[in-house]
Amino acid sequence: PQLTNNFTLTMAISASEAHYIIESCLTDLRIDGRSKCEHRPYTITNRSTHTKTSQSANAPAFILSNGSSRIHLPGSTTDVVCSVKADLVHPSPSKPNQGILELNVDLSLCGGGGTLEASAGSGGAQKRRRQQREEESQITSLLQRLILPHAVNHESLVVWPGKYVWRLSIDVMVLRCDGCVLDASSIAIREALQNTKLPKVQAVMEKGNDDANNGGSASKNDLLVDGDHHKAVLPCGAEDCPLVITVSVLSSPPSATDAVTSTTGSKRYKSIAIIDARTEEEACASTRVCVTVDTNGMVCGVHTLGGGGAGMEEEGEQGGAGGSSMPISMLGEVVTTASMAAKNLYTKLDRDRQVVKDVSSTDNDCGYGYLLKNHFLIQ
C-alpha cells in the first residue's frame, strides 16, 4: 500500500471485503475491535520523555532541533517524526509584529506516488517523483491552513518589534503511514511544539558614543542571548495547538428486501462516521471530513477529502451516497464525532504528559539538556 493524492493508501480490496468492513463499522465493532470513536494506541515519544504507553527508553531531541516528537503505532505501519527549529530573523514587512511559522512535509521515505505502477526507464520514476511532490504540497498546504494559524501565539514570538522575531521551522517526515496521515501529523506537530524550548533573548539598546576613538566597532543595538537551557521557555500558546480529526463516512447500499424509501421513492443509505480509519476502512469510505478542534472544543477549520468508496461507484452514479458525497443528515454526526474524539484525545495526551512530567522531574540525565549539557548551541 502507498499514499495517493487523496492522502489514503491504495490497496486491492474486493466487494465482499468492503461489505464486511462497512457492516462491521455499522455494528460499532470494527475489524480491529475498536468502536467508532476510539483511537489506536499510539506511542508518543518526545525529546526528553515518552508516554506511559511506550516501552522504549527516553529519547533525546534531534541535535539541531529546539523540539521534536515521534508518533509510532506498534504493530502497524505508522511512523511520523516532527522537528522544530527556531531562528532569529527579520519579520515580514506585512506583519512586523508577528513571528513566522513554516511547515514542510516529507514523504520521500513513505513511497509517495503509489497510484502509478513502476515502469521501465526514467519515465515512471519521474512520474512518481512528480506525484510525490504534489502530495507533499497538498498535505503541507492543508496543515498550514488547518493548524499553523492556531498553533502558537504569533505575537509572542516577537523579540524586537519590527526588527527581530522567532521563526519556527516545522519539518514533518512521514516514514510510514497506515491511514489518517493528517491526524498523525497534527499530533506530532502539537507534541513537538509543546517540547520546544526558546532561549531567553533580550533586546539591548545602547545610547552609543559618537567619539571617533570608538572606531565604529561598537553596536548601538544588539541582542543578548542567554544560553542556559533552564531559563528557556515554551512558545506561548503551544499548549492550545489544535488537532486534526479525520472523520470517515462509510455508507452501505440498502438491500432490496429491507431498503428504507423516502417520500420520493429513492433508497436511503445506511451510513456511519468513524475516526482514525485504517487503510482498509479509508478504502471503503465514501468521503472524509478533516475537522480541526482546539482544546476548548471549538472548530478551527474544516476540509473535505474524497474517499475510496469501494463498491460504491455504480450506486453513486444513480444519485446515492457513493462517490465523494455523504447524506446531509450526517453533518451533525460528523461534527459530534470529531468533538468527542478530540476531547478524549486531549484528555489522554494531557494525562500522559502529567505522568511523564512527574517521572522526568527526578531524572536530570535525559533529553536535550543532557545532550548539550544544559546549554543551547548558539551560532
Side-chain angles (χ1 to χ4, degrees), residues 101-160:
L101 265 70
E102 297 179 349
L103 178 65
N104 179 63
V105 178
D106 187 359
L107 300 176
S108 59
L109 299 180
C110 189
T115 57
L116 298 177
E117 296 292 338
S119 59
S122 60
Q126 292 177 355
K127 290 181 180 180
R128 290 194 298 272
R129 286 195 296 268
R130 182 171 63 252
Q131 185 168 3
Q132 175 187 314
R133 290 193 295 267
E134 293 176 356
E135 293 167 1
E136 293 175 345
S137 176
Q138 292 173 7
I139 296 177
T140 300
S141 177
L142 269 179
L143 292 176
Q144 287 175 343
R145 288 157 42 197
L146 294 176
I147 294 183
L148 289 196
H150 318 280
V152 297
N153 186 347
H154 290 66
E155 296 181 355
S156 67
L157 298 178
V158 177
V159 176
W160 195 332

Side-chain angles (χ1 to χ4, degrees), residues 167-180:
R167 179 182 63 190
L168 301 183
S169 300
I170 305 173
D171 294 307
V172 178
M173 177 170 289
V174 182
L175 303 178
R176 296 177 297 174
C177 179
D178 188 13
C180 292

Side-chain angles (χ1 to χ4, degrees), residues 21 25 30 34 250 274 277-285:
I21 293 173
C25 293
R30 297 157 70 174
R34 291 182 294 150
L250 284 74
I274 64 173
R278 294 180 54 178
T279 305
E280 302 89 343
E281 295 169 336
E282 283 191 342
C284 301

Side-chain angles (χ1 to χ4, degrees), residues 211-373:
D211 190 355
N213 294 331
N214 287 338
S217 59
S219 177
K220 295 182 179 180
N221 301 324
D222 204 354
L223 294 176
L224 181 62
V225 181
D226 192 341
D228 189 354
H229 180 265
H230 297 289
K231 295 182 181 180
V233 296
L234 295 175
C236 182
E239 64 278 2
D240 297 324
C241 180
L243 293 173
V244 176
I245 304 296
T246 300
V247 181
S248 301
V249 178
L250 284 74
S251 300
S252 175
S255 62
T257 56
D258 59 353
V260 180
T261 58
S262 64
T263 56
T264 60
S266 61
K267 296 181 180 180
R268 294 181 180 177
Y269 283 70
K270 299 177 183 179
S271 301
I272 187 173
I274 64 173
I275 65 165
D276 196 18
R278 294 180 54 178
T279 305
E280 302 89 343
E281 295 169 336
E282 283 191 342
C284 301
S286 59
T287 188
R288 290 172 294 152
V289 182
C290 301
V291 183
T292 306
V293 185
D294 63 9
T295 54
N296 298 321
M298 302 297 292
V299 176
C300 304
V302 179
H303 185 85
T304 303
L305 297 173
M312 303 289 291
E313 291 78 3
E314 294 181 0
E315 291 82 356
E317 294 175 357
Q318 299 174 1
S324 297
S325 62
M326 68 177 180
I328 189 66
S329 58
M330 289 291 298
L331 289 177
E333 183 178 351
V334 167
V335 175
T336 302
T337 301
S339 301
M340 292 176 54
K343 181 179 179 180
N344 295 335
L345 186 56
Y346 280 123
T347 301
K348 184 180 185 305
L349 292 176
D350 293 340
R351 182 178 65 248
D352 289 348
R353 185 175 296 106
Q354 183 61 42
V355 172
V356 165
K357 185 182 297 184
D358 296 339
V359 174
S360 62
S361 62
T362 60
D363 187 4
N364 296 323
D365 294 334
C366 66
Y368 199 97
Y370 173 74
L371 186 63
L372 293 183
K373 301 184 184 301

